[in-house]
Amino acid sequence: QVQLVESGGGLVQAGGSLSLSCAASGSIFSIYDMGWYRQFPGKQRELVATITSGGKTNYVDSVKGRFTISRDNAKNTVYLQMNSLKPEDTAVYYCNADLAATWGIRREYWGQGTQVTVSS
């Protein structure tokens, strides 16, 4: 059993901040890259930020300087600190983890998604 549980979504005014958290639990052998993706209404899911097990980060251009991805390997948790939020950041945000379960093949797992709404 492997599960990614997200928390921290909600409604915030433009210019405000939110912090998302995603904890992986279950029969985990090793976690490699982790990341956050988002999906706008009527559009495909897109990458927001990724972080390797060693801490190397990557961001989509639209969030650089505003969002920060981090992880706590001891807690199997990835975070997304979102500052200076804009209405165009409104989306469902999904946690992603490339991991190897103790019982199966290495693959990507997804969280359930959490709604982030930024009002103007």
Side-chain angles (χ1 to χ4, degrees):
Q1 59 185 54
V2 175
Q3 185 178 25
L4 304 184
V5 179
E6 302 170 351
S7 62
L11 174 65
V12 66
Q13 292 183 335
S17 299
L18 283 174
S19 183
L20 305 183
S21 177
C22 174
S25 63
S27 301
I28 299 170
F29 176 75
S30 184
I31 303 179
Y32 304 95
D33 292 0
M34 302 184 80
W36 291 93
Y37 294 70
R38 64 187 179 186
Q39 188 167 18
F40 304 112
K43 297 184 178 180
Q44 293 184 313
R45 192 173 300 181
E46 71 172 29
L47 182 149
V48 177
T50 59
I51 183 168
T52 70
S53 60
K56 183 179 180 180
T57 60
N58 181 55
Y59 300 90
V60 67
D61 286 345
S62 61
V63 309
K64 288 181 178 177
R66 300 189 297 120
F67 292 9
T68 301
I69 188 171
S70 62
R71 64 191 286 170
D72 185 335
N73 291 333
K75 297 181 178 180
N76 292 334
T77 300
V78 62
Y79 307 91
L80 186 68
Q81 178 65 46
M82 303 183 292
N83 298 324
S84 301
L85 283 162
K86 305 174 181 179
E88 50 262 45
D89 294 318
T90 296
V92 178
Y93 284 71
Y94 295 89
C95 174
N96 171 271
D98 174 17
L99 64 82
T102 58
W103 49 265
I105 192 171
R106 171 180 172 177
R107 72 172 181 87
E108 292 189 335
Y109 290 79
W110 293 91
Q112 79 282 2
T114 185
Q115 177 70 46
V116 172
T117 302
V118 184
S119 62
S120 61

